[in-house]
Structure formats: structure tokens, C-alpha cells
Amino acid sequence: MSAQPARTARKRATPPSLAARAAAGEKLVMVTAYDFPAARAAEKAGVDIVLVGDSGAQVQLGYDSTVPVSLDEMLVLAKAVRRGTTTALVVVDLPFGSYEVSDEQAIATSVRCVKEAGADAVKLEGGGRMATARIRAITDAGIPVMGHVGLTPQTAVALGGFSAQGRTVEAARRVLHDALAVQEAGAFSLVLEAIPSDLAAVIHPRLHIPAIGIGAGSDVDGQVLVLHDLLGLTEGHAAKFVKRYASVLDAMTDGIAAYAAEVRSGAYPAPEHGYAMPDGVLDALEG
Ligand code: KIV
């Protein structure tokens, strides 16, 4: 008997249902998606949380960092993802510049994510004073917030680049402090990115909200990866924590190359790819 029917019968996940499953020891699965087919695939695979990450700026839209992507661009991606999911919790990343200015700006941005794109929750980066004030304000407005501490790509320049965080006593204390501050501010869950596994193991027992790791080892409640990384849709250097489960870019390239070769040789289209003319129509036309 397949496990799929039970999964497809599931209701959409919610922050409390995910917290209950994590508390029961179930590992939560989160993946990014930026369009309808990817959301469908994540849904069919039984993923618990789909993140419309601002990583889409790079892997989907081709920017060279997450910084330039606009809220309007994120909303287009998020709407497609929402349409592709039925049971996964849809979390939308607040892009850089869309929440830092004031609590009012953060609430207005989050409301757009919920009303226009159908987001179930939003995610924002950081655990300092500004980030925790925004988490509190958005949560007070009734929108669940996922935090994100450790390596925070939107402010990677200030952190000194895309390297693992929390590797000195002082830096480890800062990550622990940020994680607890995000929880205290009312986040329903948080992402721990690129920190030593031992540090995640210290932080995790101090949290009562689910911690989702990416490059944070296995002592957490779940894992997230960027879809394009795990599918092999990205080229060049990959972070240490990336595991590739497929070679989709190669499959796409091979498929398009085979099509191109057949167009050039005349093998495509074959007679069976064309439409037949009903009897007599051609004679009448020529006559
Ligand atoms: O934007 C993103 O993909 C993320 C994940 C790395 C957690 O924030």
C-alpha cells in the first residue's frame, strides 16, 4: 500500500500542527520553491513547509545576490507557489528593504504577502533589536513569523561574507542570543543557517519552537534546502551543507539538446506530430 493517499488527505499544515509534530519527535521537511511546477512537486513529495525564499532572486531570477529582489517580484513567485500547494505551509521571505524601515512597513509588507499571495506566514532575517521588533509587530498583527539566524544572506556583507557563523565563543553567544530573542519576540519557528552542529545542539534544547536547520547539523527539528541546490539545477560552487539528490540541469540540457538536434536534422516533427486534414477538404481547397 502506498503512503501517498494518507498524505494527500492531510489538511494544510499550520504553525501549531507543525509544532506538535516536532514536539512528538517528527522531523519537519522544508524546501524552497519559486514557481507552480516546483510547488506541485514539493506537494506531491509530501513536504511540510514550502519557503518562497529570497534565494529565488539568484536561483530563479538570476540576480547575483538576494538584495535586489523586490517585493513585487517575490509576490509573483509566491502566488504561483501558493497555487501549487494544498497541504504544505507556505512561508514567504520578506525581501531586503521591505521591512527594515519601521514596524508599519513590515506589517504592510507582510499583509501584502498574505492578501495578494496567500502566504500562511512570512520569514525575516536577524535576531537583533530591529528584527525582533519587526517579528513582534507582525505577529501582533496576526501573521505568523519564521525567524532566521546564523548566516543571514541579506546582510552577509556585514557578517564578513558567506561563511559559517558562531565559531568563536563570542560569535556563538551572539547566535544563541539571537535565536532566543527571535523566540521571545513571538516567532513560531526559526531557521538556523550555517552554524556548527555542536552550537545548534546547544541552542535546540533551549527552544520551544521548531528549529529548522540548513548547515546546522541534525540536532534540530527539521531541515531546509534550496530546491535548485538539491535538484542539481545550480552551477558552480555549492555550500558545504548542500547534498545533491538529482541532476535536473543536466536532464534539462540533454532534453533541449535532443530537441534541437531533431529540429536541425528534420527528424522532428514526424508525421504523427501533425494534424490530418479530413477527407475531401484538401481536394476542395485545391480545386
Ligand atoms: O531564501 C532562502 O532560500 C532561505 C533558506 C536558505 C532558508 O532563506
Side-chain angles (χ1 to χ4, degrees):
M1 204 172 76
S2 141
Q4 257 341 76
R7 283 208 165 276
T8 49
R10 262 197 353 222
K11 289 202 192 113
R12 193 179 286 275
T14 61
S17 71
L18 291 169
R21 286 168 53 200
E26 216 184 298
K27 291 281 187 189
L28 303 178
V29 181
M30 173 161 144
V31 73
T32 67
Y34 319 97
D35 60 23
F36 181 79
R40 291 299 309 138
E43 183 68 41
K44 286 167 107 178
V47 160
D48 302 305
I49 308 170
V50 175
L51 171 67
V52 186
D54 62 353
S55 51
Q58 292 168 280
V59 299
Q60 186 78 15
L61 301 177
Y63 290 118
D64 59 9
S65 80
T66 58
V67 170
V69 72
S70 69
L71 176 59
D72 286 336
E73 287 171 311
M74 288 296 294
L75 289 173
V76 172
L77 307 182
K79 285 179 199 177
V81 167
R82 177 68 193 201
R83 289 191 283 263
T85 59
T86 49
T87 64
L89 186 87
V90 176
V91 181
V92 177
D93 249 343
L94 301 187
F96 183 69
S98 73
Y99 63 95
E100 294 88 340
V101 176
S102 63
D103 288 352
E104 290 71 20
Q105 185 203 28
I107 294 170
T109 298
S110 305
V111 166
R112 284 194 70 192
C113 292
V114 171
K115 277 181 85 103
E116 296 178 33
D120 297 307
V122 298
K123 175 166 87 56
L124 63 84
E125 294 184 2
R129 263 188 304 165
M130 181 277 292
T132 50
R134 303 297 178 263
I135 292 171
R136 198 165 279 117
I138 299 167
T139 306
D140 283 352
I143 299 172
V145 182
M146 178 179 275
H148 182 159
V149 304
L151 175 60
T152 47
Q154 291 177 3
T155 47
V157 173
L159 294 175
F162 284 85
S163 48
Q165 302 296 302
R167 300 181 85 179
T168 64
V169 176
E170 192 192 336
R173 280 205 186 109
R174 197 162 47 242
V175 178
L176 171 61
H177 166 274
D178 285 356
L180 295 177
V182 162
Q183 167 172 269
E184 175 66 25
F188 75 92
S189 170
L190 94 165
V191 168
L192 294 172
E193 178 165 356
I195 60 169
S197 309
D198 289 340
L199 176 56
V202 168
I203 295 173
H204 182 233
R206 292 170 164 78
L207 296 174
H208 55 72
I209 57 174
I212 311 288
I214 173 163
S218 58
D219 282 333
V220 283
D221 300 296
Q223 299 291 327
V224 55
L225 277 179
V226 168
L227 184 82
H228 290 48
D229 287 339
L230 80 89
L231 288 184
L233 262 166
T234 40
E235 293 177 290
H237 169 78
K240 184 173 165 58
F241 52 76
V242 169
K243 181 168 178 185
R244 199 162 265 201
Y245 290 86
S247 300
V248 174
L249 186 61
D250 291 344
M252 285 170 73
T253 308
D254 291 350
I256 296 169
Y259 161 70
E262 289 203 354
V263 169
R264 292 190 178 115
S265 71
Y268 177 84
E272 67 267 26
H273 301 119
Y275 297 99
M277 188 75 113
D279 285 349
V281 175
L282 195 57
D283 289 343
L285 180 70
E286 285 175 345

